[in-house]
Amino acid sequence: MAPPLSRRSLLQAAALAAATPAIGYPATGRASAAVQEAQAVTAVPAGWSVQPFALDDVALRPGLFADKRQLMLDHARGYDVDRLLQVFRANAGLSTGGAVAPGGWEGLDGEANGNLRGHYTGHFLTMLSQAYAGTGEQVFVDRIRTMVGALTEVRAALREDPAVLSVGGRFGTAAENVRGSYQYVDLPAAVLGGASAITLSAWVKPTHAGNWARVFDFGNDNTRYMYLAARNASGIPRFAVTTNGPGGEQGIDGTAALPLDQWSHLAVTIADGTGTLYVNGTAVGRNTAMTLTPAALGTLAHNWLGRSNFDTDPVFAGAYDEFNVWSRALTAAEVSDLQSRRAADASAGRGDLASYAFDETSGGTFADASGRGLTATLLRTWGGPSHPGFLAAYPETQFIDLESRTTSDYTKVWAPYYTAHKILRGVLDAYLTTEDARALDLASGMCDWMYARLSKLPEATLQRMWGLFSSGEFGGIVEAICDLHAITGKAEHLALARLFDLDRLIDNAAANTDILDGLHANQHIPIFTGYLRLYDATGEQRYLDAARNFWGMVVPHRMYGIGGTSTGEFWKARDVIAGTISDTTAETCCAYNMLKLSRTLFFHEQRPKYMDYYERALYNQVLGSKQDKADAEKPLVTYFIGLTPGHVRDYTPKQGTTCCEGTGMESATKYQDSVYFKAADGGALYVNLYSPSQLTWAEKGVTVTQTTAFPREQGTTLTVGGGSAAFALRLRVPAWATAGFRVTVNGRAVSGTPTPGSYFTVSRTWRGGDTVRISMPFRLRVEKALDDPSLQTLFYGPVNLVGRNSATSHLQLGLYRNAGLSGDLLPSLTPVSGKPLHHTLAGTEFAPFFEGTEDPTHVYFKRSEPRVIFGNSDSGVANPAKSDGTTLLDEIWAGAPFSSKGALVTRVRSTVNAWVAAGRLSRADGQTVVRTAEHATYAR
């Protein structure tokens, strides 16, 4: 067995495709056994010709990204993590300390019964890890340790039988059922004793207003039973007994709802055909025609406190103090006497059929003081204990149900392996940040548990599961498992990663067969980043081919101008852009995952298009998805970004805890993850993004400081610090940089012609103080929707400019009226003084998409050039068009840039002659157009 990975190697390994934070944090405890026995593996896959830097190697400097990140860092510092842990602790039957889950998707009351709860905690752990990597602030490590400690306690509790949660009671101590714990009290079959007269009495403190939650329910099934519900459909207590199902119930209803978080006494008496319901010593309901008694029910199999014989009813949430059963009907005076003292001290005495005081402070049983020895047992509705390694905020039942499910129903099963991925990624990142062995043990245990479960399933079952929309979604779990395998070296972990192969998807993508139409976008994008990691681990070419081809099916064929993809979470047919625009386009998670896939592909193949896309999506959708506003409760990140006219971004969708808020928290704390890469042999430094930052390249003994206000500045300056080092500096020439890309070193121009959509290389031995200046002038351009060239969006350099206008129909805009000889459309717009990158056109202000405001916006507009105009000179001639929509002006300006006014006029004359000859333009109008072009004055 080879020695374990070094601290630095562990951190670098985890940076990989996920940009997991790697930091120099001092160890505070021993490394886990899993690490001590790990096989030696390289820090990054051997096949990567280019490697990322760890997050702590790249520091953000003041600027656009640092400002956005600060908002999220403030949220990370201040948010109460006990609120996130609430659902985990509740699931394990542990005290939640009064914490309230965030709500939305992260809580029991959220969408689909809260079936995705726990995902947000994983995101938060990753955010904290990245926040520490970027800032070094101790507060983030402290919060991580708090969360890891709590999750460790939760997993341990899930492995044990449930234990009483003792709280202060009405008289002494009480037993609490935390909402979400699925716990109830099971009583022996003889508890009712076949009595023909009976009194049942309980002190309860409900903590949730769940209709039909039972105080008690004695029955066999949904036919023979006797129950007392704290709330019926009307929200008031109800007692009922039946031998013929709900239609045969003989019942008594209360008159008012029980107060929450207060003790209430409930009692029911039955004798001589009369039943009475008491609340706090007062008779609130009476039925004088009751023919049924416990004797009529016979011996019952299910005798429960807190659980219903109807599976869809909620478990009672709250506390119990005293439950007594007497074989007679207590008098009104005796019931009243129970209000002020224990039954043992009251006139009625303890129940002779059963008597539980709930004074126990540990264990999982409750002693019976009636003398009948009917010990009660605390149980979970889903059985248990859970299997080794299991960790979630809900029981294993979702995972079990998925294995036999053939159709999706997210109210029953909502992507349990997706949630598992988020938790796994979070605890793995926590380990890499703090070296807390507990976090690695949690991560490794989760994967051991998944392997034990999935490895037993037939291949056909796995393929069916992973092909189910929503229920079978597993996110980026393959990537996380591969990252864990790089640390543990356990063969089972690599085998587990391969159990998530979705063969139909892989094989079609590997063959470059596009089957994306109708698929859920974010269910499938992160799968391919995982398959790239499997290629690294196994060398199977189909994984790489599938990922590469898949990327090409999305970019540009299903990509909106801002870099996003999907509409209503799904993909439509290839090359349909205008036809898919809606209020629910561009799910933010999709952009997050496309960025991860793009950078991981770049590690294998240095195709500039991957980083061109990265810049597009990062500088537009990802930055624009974060609101420019502080909030202690919400991260303020969009779910969808509607591209319909006048859309207003919603930064708090579904109460602010969706998948996109989760990935948004991560995005905002790793903006620096792809600014710089290095060649595997150390011979080159790739500068991919122009962002104020400082790189510490320890292996070379140098720093590289980038000083810029980009994209508000059309260039950047790189300054080398430290000693001397020989390497090639590879500067990305953006595909949009058609107006010239110029490089100087120490004031001298570098020879060579930079080509847009490539990398420009400067090789030398660099010394401290060397300065590289890059100039990249912006031009205003349009990008056309693939299926409707008249629907266009504006870009100024890398920045998408959006109109701020409340109109709900597409703006009709012309741009040729004052176009420059270079082809730049910017002269047709008017700059806004004091607001960089802001312009006006036709009375509408256009601003950068990255500004996170709540203004109504127009990302796309309708191109309208009704007349032929040059240099603001209107010819008065209507602008004719071909059948495909191409206009005369389109064809003229397609020849830009023009070296001079004469060159433009020559282009106008030749184009006009062709259109006149084709009968699309009269000779007289053509002559007018040429004369207007000759007399106009043009911007450069």
Side-chain angles (χ1 to χ4, degrees), residues 84-85 87-88 102 105-107 114-125 147 151 391-394 418-424 426 657:
L84 301 175
L85 296 167
V87 288
F88 286 89
W105 287 3
E106 196 58 35
N115 277 345
L116 211 66
R117 59 189 182 274
H119 79 115
Y120 204 68
T121 297
H123 286 299
F124 206 90
L125 275 168
M147 296 177 74
L151 293 176
L391 177 62
Y394 46 72
Y418 171 93
T419 306
H421 161 240
K422 300 307 175 187
I423 300 168
L424 172 63
T657 56

Side-chain angles (χ1 to χ4, degrees), residues 195-451:
S196 57
I198 199 164
T199 298
L200 303 105
S201 162
W203 278 101
V204 294
K205 184 169 73 170
T207 56
H208 182 259
N211 290 348
W212 298 115
R214 303 296 203 258
V215 175
F216 61 75
D217 195 338
F218 306 124
N220 278 344
D221 46 34
N222 296 342
T223 302
R224 304 172 65 84
Y225 54 79
M226 179 176 72
Y227 71 78
L228 174 60
R231 296 171 60 93
N232 64 5
S234 300
I236 58 178
R238 175 175 172 78
F239 170 81
V241 57
T242 182
T243 57
N244 194 31
E249 287 187 0
Q250 298 178 6
I252 314 169
D253 291 328
T255 56
L258 298 182
L260 297 181
D261 301 311
Q262 295 181 30
W263 286 103
S264 294
H265 183 262
L266 299 173
V268 177
T269 64
I270 302 175
D272 303 322
T274 296
T276 305
L277 172 64
Y278 294 86
V279 176
N280 294 325
T282 300
V284 296
R286 181 169 283 111
N287 185 337
T288 59
M290 297 193 72
T291 61
L292 296 176
T293 66
L297 297 176
T299 301
L300 302 173
H302 303 147
N303 300 286
W304 296 328
L305 302 184
R307 181 180 179 182
S308 171
N309 275 283
F310 289 80
D311 291 339
T312 56
D313 290 338
V315 176
F316 177 80
Y320 284 88
D321 188 348
E322 289 209 329
F323 178 73
N324 284 276
V325 185
W326 290 267
S327 59
R328 64 184 180 88
L330 298 188
T331 65
E334 287 175 314
V335 173
S336 178
D337 194 27
L338 294 172
Q339 308 309 298
S340 59
R341 46 187 172 166
R342 290 180 178 272
D345 302 322
S347 56
R350 292 189 176 98
D352 60 322
L353 292 180
S355 180
Y356 305 97
F358 300 108
D359 286 328
E360 292 83 355
T361 59
S362 63
T365 59
F366 302 99
D368 171 28
S370 72
R372 300 178 69 208
L374 301 180
T375 300
T377 307
L378 191 63
L379 299 176
R380 296 185 177 104
T381 60
W382 49 268
S386 64
H387 293 93
F390 174 75
L391 177 62
Y394 46 72
E396 289 180 87
T397 47
Q398 278 204 55
F399 297 91
I400 296 168
D401 189 333
L402 177 61
E403 293 168 7
S404 59
R405 182 165 289 280
T406 57
T407 58
S408 187
D409 180 353
Y410 81 146
T411 66
K412 301 290 192 304
V413 179
W414 191 5
Y417 284 96
Y418 171 93
T419 306
H421 161 240
K422 300 307 175 187
I423 300 168
L424 172 63
R425 182 80 256 172
V427 295
L428 182 57
D429 290 346
Y431 167 69
L432 293 162
T433 301
T434 66
E435 285 193 296
D436 190 328
R438 298 174 300 173
L440 180 60
D441 190 51
L442 289 172
S444 186
M446 287 184 71
C447 289
D448 292 343
W449 169 78
M450 284 187 278
Y451 180 73

Side-chain angles (χ1 to χ4, degrees), residues 917-940:
R920 299 189 182 95
L921 186 68
S922 71
R923 185 170 301 279
D925 283 347
Q927 291 173 345
T928 300
V929 167
V930 173
R931 284 197 303 271
T932 302
E934 290 173 336
H935 291 95
T937 301
Y938 299 93
R940 293 302 302 174

Side-chain angles (χ1 to χ4, degrees), residues 842-855:
T844 294
E845 182 175 359
F846 280 76
F849 185 95
F850 63 67
E851 293 184 354
T853 72
E854 293 178 291
D855 294 296

Side-chain angles (χ1 to χ4, degrees), residues 65-225:
F65 288 104
D67 291 345
K68 290 271 189 178
R69 183 182 69 171
Q70 189 61 47
L71 293 169
M72 196 63 78
L73 292 177
D74 290 343
H75 174 72
R77 291 186 192 97
Y79 194 81
D80 180 4
V81 296
D82 283 324
R83 295 186 63 190
L84 301 175
L85 296 167
Q86 191 267 353
V87 288
F88 286 89
R89 287 169 166 152
N91 184 50
L94 300 175
S95 174
T96 61
V100 178
W105 287 3
E106 196 58 35
L108 294 168
D109 296 315
E111 190 171 351
N113 306 309
N115 277 345
L116 211 66
R117 59 189 182 274
H119 79 115
Y120 204 68
T121 297
H123 286 299
F124 206 90
L125 275 168
T126 293
M127 174 182 66
L128 291 175
S129 299
Q130 294 173 171
Y132 182 64
T135 68
E137 292 182 26
Q138 183 67 28
V139 62
F140 298 122
V141 173
D142 294 341
R143 312 199 100 209
I144 290 168
R145 286 191 176 135
T146 295
M147 296 177 74
V148 168
L151 293 176
T152 301
E153 293 173 358
V154 163
R155 188 182 67 172
L158 289 170
R159 283 291 296 136
E160 303 291 338
D161 290 324
V164 62
L165 182 58
S166 184
V167 296
R170 173 65 177 81
F171 299 110
T173 58
E176 183 177 19
N177 262 358
V178 175
R179 183 162 181 255
S181 68
Y182 301 91
Q183 292 180 177
Y184 67 99
V185 179
D186 183 59
L187 307 178
V191 65
L192 296 180
S196 57
I198 199 164
T199 298
L200 303 105
S201 162
W203 278 101
V204 294
K205 184 169 73 170
T207 56
H208 182 259
N211 290 348
W212 298 115
R214 303 296 203 258
V215 175
F216 61 75
D217 195 338
F218 306 124
N220 278 344
D221 46 34
N222 296 342
T223 302
R224 304 172 65 84
Y225 54 79

